[in-house]
């Protein structure tokens, strides 16, 4: 993901709800219970881990049984230490006490709870990038040191791979028309990291890499689910025993869920966004602009998908009186810079969400060269009386402004091409008048019309008009 390109905005639940989700996450809940269980007789090793003889007691305190009970208790203890829920009092004696952050889980603000959870998330993500314990044991040399080269394991590459997968999952979740709240098949997520964008049919070698990556992700998401990052349906274990099954990348659509499904939880969206922001990426959230000025709203939503832009605007309007909001939006929409047409388009869209209380603000700008056109459109759409008809000059100016905004928002879209064709057809002398329009974007708009119109004769007229407009503006 590019650091310069903002990601689509994410819709987050309230911090209070997220904090409740964090406290309910199995791993953090266990860590907190162990922090309260620990006492004067609790002993830890040099790395802060519970000594082996105390693991059964920790498992009992958590109500755990079975072969994995000790390992699960050990993982929860490590999180308790890493998050500050437990503090090492004396390293030589191995004594511990409740940490200062334990009280935050019961008496802290939602942000405090989420801060503890984010630390727990970092611990789990670090664990998820480490090879399986059995592989580590096999890689130990005679001196007890781990030979990482024999594992073919590159810690930085593994961490980068998992970060990339989680980044793709975040993008799929927040993108308009993406997965949203629906789970993503594990093969598709693995393929997003392995298969080149320009590859048609994946080769057998690439399919094998996708299959290997899918199995790595299966292990990693099993670790990440207890911290509350994801909801995960693991790979059906019967598939691993069936050597006749086709590669996961070519799985039948009806059976794809057997190859694993994953989706980010609301808490997971919050956590990944926090990590993206920490890494320097622009990762907006709906509501970020609610307490900002109208200029920030109109500029900030310029890159938002339509649904997110509307949601952001609704939150912004909810904090303001309709008349004052309309006046602020109209003031912010003025300007002759390159971004001004798109600001006016977003202003018009925002004003469509405001009721008749805003009418005085629109009437105040009826004679404004930049805003008079959109004011008349709004008043007419709201059934206002005594709306003065626009002059021909205002109609042409508004037309140029609208096309400039569409170009900025969508580029050479099919919708814009249809608009261009319709204008040229309805107004036979459009180009003869349009080049005289005193708008900074007139030359660029006419050039674009020349590119978009399929009729060569009309396109030539548009290009000639563009040349005249540029000459008139001294370009």
């Amino acid at each position: 993901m590019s650091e310069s390109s903002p990601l689509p905005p994410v819709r987050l639940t309230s911090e209070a709800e997220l904090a409740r989700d964090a406290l309910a996450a199995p791993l953090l809940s266990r860590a907190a219970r162990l922090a309260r269980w620990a006492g004067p007789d609790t002993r830890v090793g040099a790395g802060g881990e519970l000594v082996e003889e105390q693991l059964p007691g920790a498992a009992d305190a958590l109500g755990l049984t079975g072969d994995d009970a000790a390992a699960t208790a050990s993982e929860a203890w490590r999180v308790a230490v890493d998050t500050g829920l437990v503090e090492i009092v004396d390293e030589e004696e191995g004594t511990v006490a409740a940490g200062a952050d334990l009280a935050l889980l019961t008496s802290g603000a939602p942000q405090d709870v989420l801060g503890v959870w984010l630390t727990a998330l970092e611990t789990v993500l670090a664990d998820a990038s480490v090879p399986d314990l059995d592989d580590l044991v096999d890689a130990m040399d005679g001196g007890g040191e781990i030979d990482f080269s024999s594992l073919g394991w590159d810690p930085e590459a593994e961490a980068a791979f998992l970060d990339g997968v989680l980044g793709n999952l975040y993008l799929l979740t927040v993108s308009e028309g993406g997965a949203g709240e629906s789970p993503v098949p594990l093969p598709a997520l693995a393929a997003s990291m392995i298969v080149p964008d320009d590859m048609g049919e994946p080769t057998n070698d690439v399919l094998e890499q996708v299959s290997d990556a899918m199995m790595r992700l299966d292990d990693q998401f099993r670790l990440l689910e207890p911290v509350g990052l994801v909801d995960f349906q693991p790979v059906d274990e019967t598939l691993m025993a069936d050597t006749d099954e086709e590669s996961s990348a070519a799985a039948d659509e009806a059976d794809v869920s057997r190859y694993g499904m994953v989706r980010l939880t609301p808490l997971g969206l919050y956590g990944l966004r926090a990590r993206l922001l920490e890494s320097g990426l622009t990762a907006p959230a709906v509501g970020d602009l609610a307490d900002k000025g109208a200029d920030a709203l109109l500029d900030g939503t310029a890159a938002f998908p339509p649904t997110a832009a509307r949601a952001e605007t609704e939150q912004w309007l909810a904090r303001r009186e309709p008349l004052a909001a309309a006046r602020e939006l109209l003031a912010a929409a003025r300007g002759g810079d390159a971004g001004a047409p798109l600001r006016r388009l977003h202003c018009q869209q925002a004003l469509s969400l405001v009721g008749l209380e805003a009418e005085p603000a629109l009437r105040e700008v009826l004679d404004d060269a930049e805003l008079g056109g959109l004011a008349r459109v709004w008043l007419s759409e709201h059934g206002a009386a005594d709306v003065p008809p626009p002059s021909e000059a205002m109609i042409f100016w508004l037309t140029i402004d609208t096309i400039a905004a569409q170009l900025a928002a969508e580029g050479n879209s099919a919708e814009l091409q249809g608009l261009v064709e319709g204008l040229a057809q309805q107004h036979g002398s459009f180009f003869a008048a349009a080049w005289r329009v005193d708008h900074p974007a007139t030359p660029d708009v006419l050039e674009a019309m020349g590119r978009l119109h399929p009729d060569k004769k009309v396109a030539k007229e548009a290009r000639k008009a563009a040349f005249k407009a540029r000459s008139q503006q001294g370009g």
Side-chain angles (χ1 to χ4, degrees):
M1 286 180 283
S2 169
E3 293 188 11
S4 60
S5 301
L7 292 161
V10 60
R11 298 192 190 204
L12 298 176
T13 53
S14 70
E15 287 191 341
E17 292 176 277
L18 292 170
R20 285 194 290 271
D21 290 346
L23 291 172
L27 186 53
L28 186 58
S29 175
R30 291 178 197 138
R33 288 164 65 188
L34 286 185
R36 298 184 182 101
W37 162 83
D41 296 329
T42 305
R43 292 294 180 270
V44 296
E49 74 283 0
L50 274 175
V51 295
E52 191 171 347
E53 54 267 28
Q54 293 202 325
L55 286 174
D60 286 343
L62 296 175
L64 299 172
T65 58
D67 295 340
D68 296 331
T72 302
S74 179
E75 180 187 25
W77 179 263
R78 183 184 171 203
V79 169
V81 172
D82 286 355
T83 56
L85 303 182
V86 170
E87 292 179 354
I88 311 298
V89 175
D90 188 322
E91 292 185 4
E92 291 188 6
E93 294 293 327
T95 54
V96 299
D101 286 350
L102 181 59
L104 295 178
L105 298 186
T106 53
S107 59
Q111 281 187 334
D112 297 323
V113 174
L114 292 170
V116 174
W117 180 81
L118 285 171
T119 305
L121 175 62
E122 291 303 320
T123 295
V124 179
L125 287 170
D127 288 345
S129 298
V130 174
D132 182 83
L133 182 60
D134 292 337
D135 293 336
L136 291 177
V137 172
D138 293 340
M140 280 188 178
D141 58 25
E145 296 291 325
I146 298 175
D147 179 12
F148 288 113
S149 63
S150 69
L151 292 172
W153 179 62
D154 180 340
E156 291 186 2
E158 285 294 324
F161 177 82
L162 183 56
D163 282 346
V165 167
L166 293 175
N168 285 353
L169 182 57
Y170 181 91
L171 188 58
L172 284 169
T173 304
V174 302
S175 295
E176 195 149 302
E181 296 183 3
S182 302
V184 177
L186 212 55
L189 202 52
S192 73
M193 295 295 294
I194 303 296
V195 181
D197 292 337
D198 58 353
M199 177 175 281
E201 190 72 21
T203 64
N204 288 336
D205 179 58
V206 167
L207 291 176
E208 186 175 345
Q209 291 179 52
V210 169
S211 182
D212 290 344
M214 188 187 75
M215 298 315 298
R216 281 160 61 198
L217 292 175
D218 181 65
D219 291 336
Q220 290 171 325
F221 283 127
R222 288 173 193 257
L223 289 174
L224 294 172
E225 186 174 34
V227 78
L229 185 75
V230 295
D231 289 328
F232 181 54
Q233 177 183 322
V235 174
D236 184 345
E237 294 187 2
T238 60
L239 293 175
M240 303 177 209
D242 190 348
T243 57
D244 293 331
E245 286 284 349
E246 293 182 0
S247 167
S248 59
D252 184 86
E253 186 176 349
D255 296 326
V256 72
S257 64
R258 297 179 65 198
Y259 293 87
M261 304 286 285
V262 63
R263 86 173 177 92
L264 287 173
T265 63
L267 185 61
L269 277 170
Y270 168 84
L272 290 191
R273 176 178 181 256
R275 299 186 86 239
L276 290 167
L277 291 173
E278 183 68 23
S279 69
L281 288 168
T282 302
V286 172
D288 280 353
L289 305 175
D291 59 350
K292 303 289 195 301
D295 53 346
L297 175 73
L298 298 181
D299 285 335
T301 55
F304 283 18
T307 303
R310 182 185 176 97
E312 184 71 57
T313 303
E314 287 173 341
Q315 291 199 27
W316 189 89
L317 290 170
R319 298 193 181 193
R320 292 160 177 81
E321 292 297 324
L323 181 56
R327 285 180 172 137
E328 188 178 349
L329 286 165
L330 288 165
R334 286 190 172 93
D337 58 284
L342 191 54
R343 284 203 306 277
R344 283 186 282 274
L345 176 62
H346 284 292
C347 173
Q348 191 168 0
Q349 292 167 344
L351 289 170
S352 71
L353 305 176
V354 182
L356 283 170
E357 305 95 322
E359 182 175 346
L362 278 298
R363 289 197 178 274
E364 290 165 6
V365 298
L366 281 172
D367 294 330
D368 188 291
E370 295 177 350
L371 305 176
L374 70 85
R376 284 168 171 77
V377 171
W378 187 94
L379 290 167
S380 298
E381 288 177 345
H382 284 74
D386 302 322
V387 180
S391 65
E392 184 179 79
M394 182 173 284
I395 292 172
F396 273 93
W397 195 96
L398 182 60
T399 301
I400 294 294
D401 200 58
T402 300
I403 296 176
Q406 295 281 3
L407 280 168
E410 304 172 10
N412 299 334
S413 66
E415 181 182 352
L416 184 56
Q417 182 174 345
L419 175 61
V420 167
E421 290 181 38
L423 276 172
Q425 186 175 0
Q426 293 171 21
H427 305 280
S429 59
F430 177 82
F431 297 112
W435 69 266
R436 295 183 172 89
V437 175
D438 186 18
H439 190 298
T442 298
D444 292 334
V445 165
L446 293 173
E447 281 185 2
M449 293 181 76
R451 290 195 307 271
L452 291 168
H453 205 289
D455 187 293
K456 290 183 179 180
K457 182 180 178 182
V458 175
K460 186 176 181 180
E461 285 183 48
R463 289 193 296 271
K464 283 184 177 180
F467 177 80
K468 290 180 180 179
R470 203 171 296 283
S471 299
Q472 177 177 261
Q473 294 186 4

